[in-house]
Amino acid sequence: MNNLLLLILCFIAGMLLKRFRRMPDNAPATLNSFIIHVSLPALTLLYIHQLKLSGDVLLTGMMAWLEFGLSAGFFWLVGRWLNLPRATVGALILVGGLGNTSFFGLPMVEAFYGKEGLTTAIIADQLGSFFALSVLGITFAGIYSSGRPTAAQIVKRIVLFPPFISLLLALLLIPVEYADWFSALLKRLGDTLAPLALLSVGLQLRLGHIAEHRRNLALGLGFKLILAPLAIYLLYVPLLGAHGQSIQVTLFEAAMPPMITAAIVASEHDLDPPLATLMVAVGLILSFFTLSAWWYLLGGV
């Protein structure tokens, strides 16, 4: 509960700082850069090192990749049908295809499933969402950005993406025991991710943009909060026969609201930043209701 209160307070603080012009115009870009280059790599190095693999790890890790694939196909079709701008389609794919499985997902999983559900949640987050962001997210952000980068340029962006580098390094360091001071350092740096990310979202939020983006906002959140987790549920439970708490937590993570870091990447590539920010902010609010519904529905899995 304390983690959720922190998210809410930082989000509101960002809105108030923007409203009273207490932060420079480039503050969100500065915060986003710190998150990408410091906070997220530290969190990855810390949590990947603590992973304990389970029998359902493949299904758990693949969830985010499947969800992103569904997002890419769905919004490509919607974009052609509605004749949406490329930047808007890119934002919908990126933000609608990646869930906030970390600093919102982890406390929500602990609240609904207890500490025993956190191992599955960490796998879904680190090997799923953040790995998918590092590879698929950066690839699609490059494809849909105005620059139209070449394949070589996209590969270079992936390889040089700080969270991707830290993920590979963390996997290599799993057999190595961290010194206590190093673990403490990573934790302190990683702890900055949640408050800074919500502060950045609050600084960028323009409530007046809701009416302008209401159709695309409804499409993006309808897919992320309802359609995508429903599709993963149908694949994992009726078709593959998966069940148990690890699968419940995996499906619960699939229903998380849009990932803030995905919105940051979308904004950095100029993929409809107002829509990306709105999807994160409104999605966080709506998810308190949708996640409660999903937890109830998943009780029999």
Side-chain angles (χ1 to χ4, degrees):
M1 183 58 68
N2 290 338
N3 289 332
L4 297 181
L5 289 175
L6 175 65
L7 300 182
I8 294 170
L9 288 175
C10 289
F11 176 61
I12 294 174
M15 295 176 63
L16 293 175
L17 289 170
K18 177 65 179 179
R19 172 67 178 83
F20 293 103
R21 301 181 182 278
R22 306 301 295 179
M23 297 283 277
D25 292 338
N26 66 341
T30 302
L31 293 173
N32 294 347
S33 180
F34 184 88
I35 290 168
I36 292 293
H37 290 87
V38 179
S39 306
L40 189 52
L43 202 65
T44 301
L45 284 169
L46 180 64
Y47 279 124
I48 285 294
H49 192 261
Q50 299 173 357
L51 282 182
K52 300 294 188 294
L53 302 182
S54 66
D56 295 315
V57 66
L58 180 60
L59 292 179
T60 300
M62 285 299 298
M63 176 273 293
W65 297 75
L66 293 171
E67 197 168 60
F68 192 94
L70 291 170
S71 176
F74 178 79
F75 289 118
W76 180 79
L77 291 173
V78 168
R80 289 178 62 88
W81 177 40
L82 298 177
N83 196 28
L84 296 177
R86 283 182 58 84
T88 298
V89 175
L92 287 169
I93 291 174
L94 200 62
V95 186
L98 292 165
N100 194 339
T101 54
S102 180
F103 46 86
F104 187 75
L106 293 178
M108 290 299 282
V109 167
E110 184 175 3
F112 281 89
Y113 292 95
K115 290 187 179 296
E116 58 270 21
L118 288 178
T119 299
T120 300
I122 290 171
I123 294 172
D125 176 58
Q126 295 297 309
L127 297 184
S129 300
F130 278 128
F131 201 4
L133 171 69
S134 300
V135 178
L136 299 180
I138 293 299
T139 299
F140 275 79
I143 291 172
Y144 281 91
S145 66
S146 57
R148 301 289 186 89
T150 64
Q153 290 173 324
I154 291 175
V155 171
K156 183 178 179 181
R157 289 183 185 182
I158 294 172
V159 172
L160 296 180
F161 188 49
F164 180 74
I165 296 173
S166 64
L167 178 60
L168 295 182
L169 184 60
L171 289 171
L172 292 174
L173 289 176
I174 286 179
V176 179
E177 185 177 355
Y178 287 170
D180 291 340
W181 66 265
F182 186 61
S183 296
L185 175 64
L186 292 178
K187 186 178 187 309
R188 292 295 295 271
L189 290 174
D191 284 345
T192 64
L193 191 149
L196 291 185
L198 267 294
L199 187 67
S200 176
V201 170
L203 286 169
Q204 297 176 79
L205 183 62
R206 305 291 188 278
L207 293 177
H209 289 162
I210 290 181
E212 177 185 351
H213 295 278
R214 61 180 179 274
R215 181 193 64 182
N216 296 336
L217 183 62
L219 284 170
L221 293 180
F223 175 84
K224 183 66 196 75
L225 300 177
I226 300 174
L227 295 181
L230 177 61
I232 300 297
Y233 169 85
L234 293 175
L235 173 62
Y236 279 19
V237 181
L239 291 179
L240 298 180
H243 60 87
Q245 189 186 64
S246 64
I247 295 301
Q248 290 179 19
V249 173
T250 299
L251 297 173
F252 191 70
E253 285 277 53
M256 288 295 157
M259 180 195 287
I260 293 178
T261 314
I264 291 172
V265 171
S267 297
E268 288 186 338
H269 287 79
D270 200 26
L271 299 178
D272 206 338
L275 175 61
T277 301
L278 280 173
M279 284 182 64
V280 169
V282 178
L284 282 172
I285 297 170
L286 293 179
S287 66
F288 283 102
F289 304 98
T290 57
L291 286 173
S292 297
W294 277 111
W295 173 79
Y296 176 79
L297 293 173
L298 294 172
V301 174

